[in-house]
Structure formats: structure tokens, C-alpha cells
Amino acid sequence: MYEPIRTKAVDPRIGVHRSDYPRSSRSEALDIQLGGHLAALLTVTDELGLDDAAAEIAAQVTRLRGSQPARAPHGRGDGHDAEDVASLHRRAHDLAARALLVAASRADTTVAILAAERMDAHAAALDFAGAH
């Protein structure tokens, strides 16, 4: 059964004003979200060994975040069987779709075009893999 609280609540924010907390605008929040989606897409693109596409994505991550993204050295798809590569293309397609949605929300035409191109490229790679 419910028992009422008999002591006063302790508010850790006593003496702190709402303006003291850092807040981000909707635009800043979308930039952060878009940068995250693009960074994840960059990781998968690097894993697939698509250097030209990775360079384009890295440039956009740099623009959004103000610094170059951390990148781990990856092989050129070596050591991956066809199922792994198809899985990476599906993941990249999904990430590009998420980036496209956020880019459209913030009216970032450059990233929207890049994301749409990456979606097309990964869809084509999946179609090609399915045909063979």
C-alpha cells in the first residue's frame, strides 16, 4: 500500500537557475544527430573499402563537427565473405537513409544528396550481389 513521504524532498538544484544549464537548439541537436549518422556510415564505408565515398562522407562529418572524424584503418573488404559484405551494404543503406531524413529536416541539401547517392550505391551493390 502507498505510504506518504514524511520528509522534505531534497532538490540538488537549489540555487541553480535554468539558464545555468547548457541547452542546445533544435538545429544544434539535428547537427549532432546528423554527424552521428554520418560517422557511423563512414565506419561502414571504410570497412567496405570504398575510399572515394568515405572521403566525401568524412568531409561532411568534418564540416558538421568542426574536426576530422576518428577513423580506424580497415581492409578493403578482404576477409569478408559475400554474406558479410551484403550485411555491411544493408547497414550502410540504413544509415544513409537515416542521414537523409535528418538532412532533409535541417534542409542540408549537400548531405541529403550525398546520402541519397550512398543509398543508391548500396542498393545497387545488394542487387548485384543477389544476382550472382
Side-chain angles (χ1 to χ4, degrees):
M1 195 76 195
Y2 173 77
E3 173 147 352
I5 298 172
R6 295 176 189 203
T7 60
K8 283 189 160 194
V10 177
D11 189 352
R13 297 175 290 148
I14 293 175
V16 177
H17 296 89
R18 289 181 82 72
S19 62
D20 293 341
Y21 289 106
R23 300 218 184 267
S24 61
S25 68
R26 175 161 171 73
S27 176
E28 291 169 333
L30 288 173
D31 284 351
I32 292 166
Q33 188 177 19
L34 183 56
H37 290 317
L38 288 175
L41 178 59
L42 176 60
T43 300
V44 177
T45 304
D46 277 340
E47 183 70 22
L48 286 165
L50 305 173
D51 295 336
D52 291 340
E56 290 180 50
I57 296 166
Q60 293 307 313
V61 173
T62 300
R63 180 179 62 88
L64 289 166
R65 291 188 172 172
S67 63
Q68 290 188 348
R71 295 172 70 178
H74 292 291
R76 304 180 96 8
D78 297 339
H80 294 295
D81 61 14
E83 191 174 309
D84 289 342
V85 172
S87 176
L88 288 170
H89 280 295
R90 277 191 291 280
R91 177 78 177 133
H93 185 275
D94 291 346
L95 289 166
R98 291 176 187 190
L100 176 59
L101 288 172
V102 178
S105 293
R106 66 183 297 277
D108 189 330
T109 307
T110 303
V111 174
I113 291 169
L114 174 63
E117 288 172 349
R118 296 316 313 147
M119 286 177 67
D120 289 346
H122 294 294
L126 287 168
D127 288 345
F128 179 76
H132 288 94

